[in-house]
Amino acid sequence: METVRNELNRPPQELVDAFRDVLKEYSPSCLVTDARRRVGAIGGLLPVSPHHKIAGPALTVNLSVDDLVDCMPVLASAQAGDVIIVACRGAWETAMWGGLMSTLSKKAGVAGGVVDGAIRDVDEIRDLDFPVWYRGTVPRPSPTAVHDRTEPVQVNVPVVVRGQVINPGDIIVADENGIAVVPPALGAEVLERTRVQIDKERVIREKIASGASVAQLLAEFGHL
């Protein structure tokens, strides 16, 4: 199968930067998904380190079970701040990401990686302090030599991760709670509602600290 490598239609940088500001708050992925029902939510993937929080445009890699190949060449398409999404159908037989991929990605300024499958070299990735979300671990590397291929089959095409469609250029907001997927067309609206949610939660925390009861909070805010 011939490799498909599309250009990434990047969202406006000021919009991406605004979502990165949300990373200063508690649980940014929760704030963003609370903002609008149509925002995608992905759970069940593990962060290498729980303190990692990232936001950036999705650079997608689509792999079939029969084409589990080395993803390193995707870095030729990466720009600083991108989040590399590797959709490999939850495959766990071989690792699709490891320490060298993390080292190269960090050097390229990539914000982080999301792998819907297995990775390896978790201790090295943790020491690099490079953000990666993954489904599981396995020591065996990707079978590049077996397939005699070194290039992902499809780059910057729509992919599915744990049932959630991710389009290239979607804004990814990830933390230890999970991953929010924001279509750029909804970005401004989601950002505005996220800021409202941030202010609301700040007020609620202040009222709790001042001794407000659950009944009082529900009466004022409707739900918590």
Side-chain angles (χ1 to χ4, degrees):
M1 184 184 298
E2 184 179 355
T3 296
V4 176
R5 183 187 293 274
N6 297 325
E7 292 298 319
L8 176 55
N9 185 18
R10 298 178 181 278
Q13 187 60 47
E14 59 270 20
L15 183 62
V16 175
D17 289 341
F19 275 100
R20 288 183 179 138
D21 285 341
V22 179
L23 301 181
K24 302 172 185 176
E25 307 294 332
Y26 286 122
S27 305
S29 68
C30 300
L31 291 169
V32 171
T33 53
D34 283 349
R36 201 178 196 282
R37 185 171 294 275
R38 283 181 61 192
V39 170
I42 300 172
L45 297 181
L46 304 170
V48 167
S49 295
H51 69 273
H52 284 152
K53 302 177 183 180
I54 63 171
L59 192 167
T60 61
V61 182
N62 193 44
L63 300 176
S64 71
V65 174
D66 295 328
D67 269 307
L68 297 182
V69 296
D70 196 331
C71 290
M72 284 187 182
V74 75
L75 290 169
S77 301
Q79 292 187 19
D82 286 351
V83 179
I84 298 177
I85 310 292
V86 182
C88 45
R89 312 303 193 273
W92 57 268
E93 296 89 349
T94 60
M96 302 312 301
W97 192 290
L100 294 180
M101 181 67 177
S102 296
T103 301
L104 291 167
S105 295
K106 185 171 184 176
K107 185 175 182 180
V110 170
V114 175
V115 182
D116 187 24
I119 68 170
R120 55 185 272 167
D121 309 325
V122 175
D123 51 349
E124 181 180 0
I125 298 171
R126 188 179 296 115
D127 282 348
L128 287 167
D129 198 28
F130 185 75
V132 178
W133 283 255
Y134 62 99
R135 187 176 285 208
T137 59
V138 67
R140 184 179 296 114
S142 62
T144 301
V146 175
H147 287 275
D148 195 28
R149 300 187 59 150
T150 59
E151 201 166 351
V153 175
Q154 295 177 310
V155 178
N156 283 328
V157 296
V159 299
V160 178
V161 173
R162 295 190 68 84
Q164 172 63 48
V165 175
I166 301 176
N167 290 295
D170 281 353
I171 299 171
I172 303 298
V173 180
D175 58 29
E176 62 181 311
N177 299 287
I179 299 163
V181 182
V182 184
L186 300 178
E189 177 190 349
V190 171
L191 182 61
E192 180 180 357
R193 293 190 181 191
T194 298
R195 288 168 171 163
V196 170
Q197 183 69 17
I198 290 170
D199 291 340
K200 175 184 174 182
E201 291 193 5
R202 188 170 292 127
V203 170
I204 291 174
R205 291 189 185 100
E206 291 172 354
K207 288 182 177 291
I208 291 172
S210 299
S213 67
V214 173
Q216 290 171 327
L217 293 171
L218 290 175
E220 182 172 355
F221 297 101
H223 65 86
L224 303 179

